[in-house]
């Protein structure tokens, strides 16, 4: 079965703390893509990253970093030195061989000042 | 590039009326458009997939007569919620997939529908 699990429903940290959002996926496909999106209170989805299954290199973009581990089927997202503006719901998604996106339940991240 | 717009961004209507939501790809041609529904504090739920010039494919449990989808051109798809009721109140998001470009989906800003 194709599935994305974001076990953390809500995370609350104080500003400047580092925080990691977990994402575990299941797929039968050998070629697939994984995504992270941010959804602020406005509702508009903001694309953060796409990773294909053949590229296990970790990626860093400013305060954001992603750890892709095929061995554990995980694609975790870390925000370093969190800021209040990072408060949002974050979704992990898997694109299957039919090009449809399978979404995790989302993790609500609250950054307190 | 790859901008998708939705109109209206929010709408309030009376129960029993029909509401049309437009989704446009502004700077690219979309082979396929997707319509999602999102309830408060929940994830996105795919409602239907539409290809230009053909009938939409609805996900299981989505009433095709209730949620009419028309993909009239490579840049426009519409979702009409017919005879809306309060339980149809939700956040509706469309996305458009490009020709080539790794079949990337680009998302519209969403439409918040409130049925009184």
């Amino acid at each position: 079965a194709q599935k994305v699990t974001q076990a953390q429903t809500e995370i609350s940290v104080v500003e400047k703390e580092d925080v990691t959002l977990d994402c575990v996926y299941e797929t039968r496909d050998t070629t697939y893509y994984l995504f992270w999106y941010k959804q602020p209170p406005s509702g508009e989805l903001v694309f953060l990253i796409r990773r294909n299954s053949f590229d296990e290199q970790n990626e860093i973009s400013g305060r954001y970093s992603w750890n892709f581990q095929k061995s554990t089927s995980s694609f975790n997202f870390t925000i370093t030195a969190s800021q209040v503006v990072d408060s949002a719901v974050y979704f992990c998604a898997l694109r299957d061989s039919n090009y449809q996106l399978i979404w995790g339940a989302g993790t609500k991240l609250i950054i307190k000042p | 590039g790859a901008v998708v717009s939705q109109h209206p961004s929010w709408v309030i209507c009376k129960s029993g009326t029909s509401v049309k939501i437009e989704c446009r790809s502004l700077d690219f041609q979309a082979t396929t458009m997707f319509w999602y529904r999102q309830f408060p504090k929940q994830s996105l739920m795919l409602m239907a997939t539409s290809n230009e010039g053909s009938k939409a494919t609805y996900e299981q449990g989505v009433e095709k007569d209730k949620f009419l989808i028309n993909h009239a051109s490579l840049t426009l798809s519409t979702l009409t919620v017919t005879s809306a009721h309060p339980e149809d109140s939700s956040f509706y998001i469309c996305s458009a997939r490009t020709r080539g470009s790794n079949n990337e989906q680009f998302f519209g800003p969403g439409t918040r529908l409130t049925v009184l």
Side-chain angles (χ1 to χ4, degrees):
Chain A
Q2 317 269 56
K3 187 179 176 183
V4 175
T5 301
Q6 292 180 257
Q8 302 150 310
T9 306
E10 184 174 305
I11 300 174
S12 181
V13 301
V14 176
E15 200 173 21
K16 296 183 185 174
E17 285 186 19
D18 298 347
V19 58
T20 295
L21 283 61
D22 298 334
C23 174
V24 174
Y25 63 93
E26 295 175 35
T27 180
R28 295 180 297 265
D29 298 329
T30 53
T31 302
Y32 52 89
Y33 287 83
L34 295 162
F35 298 79
W36 275 95
Y37 289 88
K38 175 182 180 179
Q39 188 177 40
S42 65
E44 184 164 1
L45 286 167
V46 177
F47 166 81
L48 296 178
I49 191 171
R50 180 187 70 207
R51 171 67 70 213
N52 79 50
S53 52
F54 295 110
D55 183 1
E56 286 194 72
Q57 269 196 323
N58 292 329
E59 180 148 344
I60 298 174
S61 176
R63 295 184 297 107
Y64 295 171
S65 63
W66 290 268
N67 184 344
F68 179 27
Q69 301 260 353
K70 282 182 83 170
S71 59
T72 55
S73 298
S74 66
F75 186 43
N76 297 337
F77 172 35
T78 298
I79 301 175
T80 304
S82 59
Q83 299 176 3
V84 173
V85 294
D86 295 328
S87 297
V89 179
Y90 290 85
F91 290 100
C92 179
L94 166 72
R95 193 171 81 196
D96 67 11
S97 52
N98 293 318
Y99 303 110
Q100 288 195 355
L101 287 172
I102 297 152
W103 298 85
T107 296
K108 183 176 182 179
L109 179 61
I110 300 168
I111 310 295
K112 299 177 187 173
Chain B
V3 178
V4 176
S5 71
Q6 275 184 247
H7 179 78
S9 54
W10 60 270
V11 55
I12 301 173
C13 68
K14 291 182 179 179
S15 190
T17 59
S18 293
V19 175
K20 181 185 282 189
I21 302 169
E22 291 187 349
C23 176
R24 293 181 186 272
S25 56
L26 298 185
D27 50 2
F28 66 97
Q29 292 186 328
T31 49
T32 306
M33 286 185 170
F34 303 86
W35 285 97
Y36 295 87
R37 181 174 184 177
Q38 186 180 30
F39 290 106
K41 299 185 180 182
Q42 292 190 27
S43 189
L44 282 72
M45 181 192 79
L46 180 65
M47 298 175 67
T49 302
S50 74
N51 295 297
E52 184 260 342
S54 60
K55 287 185 180 179
T57 301
Y58 290 81
E59 295 299 302
Q60 194 170 13
V62 178
E63 298 175 59
K64 56 183 71 175
D65 294 331
K66 175 75 174 174
F67 299 100
L68 300 178
I69 292 172
N70 186 336
H71 194 159
S73 74
L74 281 170
T75 60
L76 173 65
S77 176
T78 59
L79 167 67
T80 301
V81 183
T82 61
S83 187
H85 290 282
E87 58 266 29
D88 299 324
S89 298
S90 193
F91 191 55
Y92 292 88
I93 304 172
C94 75
S95 71
R97 189 169 81 200
T98 61
R99 292 180 187 273
S101 295
N102 293 314
N103 290 289
E104 205 62 63
Q105 281 190 39
F106 298 94
F107 289 86
T111 297
R112 196 163 300 281
L113 170 64
T114 302
V115 185
L116 302 175

